[in-house]
Amino acid sequence: MSPLSLPSNSLIWVTGSAGFIGYHLAKSLLEEGCSVIGFDGFTDYYDVSLKRDRHEILSSYDNFTAIDGFLEDADLLQNSARKYPPDIMVHLAAQAGVRYSLQNPRAYLQSNLVGAFNVLEVSREAGVRHLLCASSSSVYGNNSTLPFKEGDATNTPLSLYAATKIANESLGYSYAHSWGLSTTMMRFFTVYGPWGRPDMALFKFVDAMLSDACIDVFNDGNMARDFTYVADVVRAIRLLMQLPPGDEGKREKETSGTLNTEVPFRAVNIGNASKIALTDFIGAIERVLNVRAKKSYRPMQLGDVRETSADVALLESLIGYRPSTDIEEGVGQFINWYRAYYKR
């Protein structure tokens, strides 16, 4: 990829820089020589030491500045943005997890709504060139038409987490319309890979299988996901950063429903466009580990969807790239990291 075409003193903000995707994106930008401000609150939703270890790696780069705080703290965020004015804002921080939203809904309202609003406000005040925000395939609900397209309806969330992501997209559109804030909402599809989250299936399955424990298989295994390797996601974000809506003369290529021609806003799927059955996903892990999984079949979980699949025609038309990492290769990379990190 060519370097970012920004002045040498430009600053790129990454919220959630100690998180899974945020860490990988920040590290990629730092290796390219970009100046990165990493903002993270180190919540205890999962092992904080994993987040600290990610940030320790980022902090070894001279061009990285860490800010420890919560996006809900409007004064801290605003003062930090005035001290380090962002040219590009990549907002990845959020309270993640569909099932956890049933246990602690207030965390989602604070982080995903109040925090997102504060990010929009500082982006508006700073006049950022491009705001990119994490959204999710969960916005499509149980849409029965696959693959999911950006113009599909997104008004039937099955979880509070999904509802907050839909709300984020609506907030983003309103700021793009009212203030001309160039905004891209990135609908991620089941991202996995090294340094992944302990609450996600791949991490849980590998951990259980190496401990000779059962894995929980929901809906009797009748589920499928569009698994997307994290390095592919980072590359897509990196290329989209160069393309603020309305800035590159490509708006006519964007599909109906994702961009009003008068508003600098888009929503775009970032997925592998290759639906993988849960049983095949488990099989890939078994082959890489050379371990047979012990399965405990469970009913469908409240808030889950049976299948996801991304239409990535818009993404490819915009950046000339589509994620393509094979599931067995990606699973292998995760397991290599997991064994090294946990010495198993």
Side-chain angles (χ1 to χ4, degrees):
M1 288 180 290
S2 59
L4 283 171
S5 56
L6 293 169
S8 58
N9 62 344
S10 296
L11 288 178
I12 300 170
W13 271 53
V14 178
T15 71
S17 51
F20 174 35
I21 300 174
Y23 159 73
H24 282 283
L25 176 64
K27 187 170 183 290
S28 174
L29 292 168
L30 292 167
E31 289 173 347
E32 188 180 316
C34 298
S35 296
V36 176
I37 306 297
F39 194 104
D40 205 291
F42 299 92
T43 65
D44 60 0
Y45 169 62
Y46 64 81
D47 185 7
V48 175
S49 65
L50 182 61
K51 301 179 182 182
R52 294 289 181 192
D53 286 346
R54 293 178 185 137
H55 243 220
E56 184 176 349
I57 293 171
L58 298 180
S59 296
S60 67
Y61 292 85
D62 293 337
N63 45 333
F64 180 72
T65 301
I67 300 173
D68 189 338
F70 295 102
L71 295 175
E72 301 94 297
D73 187 342
D75 289 339
L76 173 63
L77 185 61
Q78 189 174 61
N79 291 335
S80 299
R82 288 172 178 169
K83 183 177 181 180
Y84 305 106
D87 294 285
I88 292 178
M89 174 76 77
V90 187
H91 175 43
L92 302 174
Q95 177 57 61
V98 170
R99 294 166 193 158
Y100 186 62
S101 68
L102 300 172
Q103 304 169 33
N104 189 7
R106 191 171 298 277
Y108 291 77
L109 299 179
Q110 289 297 317
S111 179
N112 298 7
L113 295 183
V114 176
F117 166 73
N118 290 338
V119 168
L120 285 162
E121 275 291 281
V122 299
S123 298
R124 175 188 65 81
E125 183 179 272
V128 300
R129 178 186 171 205
H130 193 183
L131 168 64
L132 301 97
C133 298
S135 188
S136 166
S137 62
S138 65
V139 301
Y140 294 110
N142 246 343
N143 191 330
S144 60
T145 302
L146 296 173
F148 298 152
K149 298 182 180 181
E150 289 88 348
D152 291 346
T154 57
N155 58 355
T156 56
L158 300 187
S159 67
L160 180 61
Y161 169 74
T164 63
K165 289 302 182 180
I166 293 170
N168 284 177
E169 293 193 2
S170 295
L171 288 169
Y173 184 91
S174 71
Y175 268 69
H177 179 270
S178 298
W179 305 105
L181 180 61
S182 291
T183 302
T184 295
M185 291 287 171
M186 304 174 291
R187 294 175 178 170
F188 298 134
F189 281 69
T190 315
V191 185
Y192 74 102
W195 292 95
R197 291 188 353 232
D199 64 314
M200 297 192 75
L202 177 56
F203 198 113
K204 288 182 173 181
F205 288 173
V206 170
D207 183 63
M209 290 165 69
L210 288 176
S211 302
D212 197 32
C214 285
I215 64 172
D216 290 329
V217 180
F218 294 102
N219 200 37
D220 295 324
N222 297 316
M223 300 180 73
R225 290 291 183 269
D226 195 333
F227 293 98
T228 315
Y229 189 58
V230 66
D232 292 347
V233 171
V234 166
R235 185 176 181 190
I237 297 172
R238 171 60 187 75
L239 291 169
L240 284 169
M241 287 169 66
Q242 294 281 67
L243 199 65
D247 192 45
E248 299 293 334
K250 290 190 175 182
R251 297 169 78 175
E252 70 279 0
K253 294 185 178 181
E254 304 198 24
T255 58
S256 171
T258 66
L259 180 72
N260 182 307
T261 56
E262 297 178 357
V263 178
F265 175 93
R266 73 163 70 93
V268 57
N269 290 337
I270 301 181
N272 203 62
S274 178
K275 183 177 66 174
I276 304 293
L278 178 57
T279 51
D280 293 336
F281 181 59
I282 295 169
I285 301 170
E286 289 177 323
R287 288 189 293 276
V288 175
L289 285 178
N290 195 28
V291 172
R292 185 77 172 176
K294 296 179 179 178
K295 305 179 183 71
S296 174
Y297 290 97
R298 308 287 297 278
M300 190 74 161
Q301 293 290 286
L302 185 64
D304 269 357
V305 299
R306 196 172 71 84
E307 295 181 304
T308 66
S309 178
D311 184 309
V312 294
L314 172 57
L315 180 71
E316 189 169 20
S317 74
L318 288 169
I319 62 175
Y321 171 74
R322 59 191 293 158
S324 60
T325 297
D326 175 76
I327 190 67
E328 202 145 333
E329 177 186 350
V331 165
Q333 291 296 327
F334 171 82
I335 290 172
N336 289 342
W337 166 79
Y338 180 93
R339 284 187 177 280
Y341 184 78
Y342 291 101
K343 297 178 174 56
R344 296 184 69 181

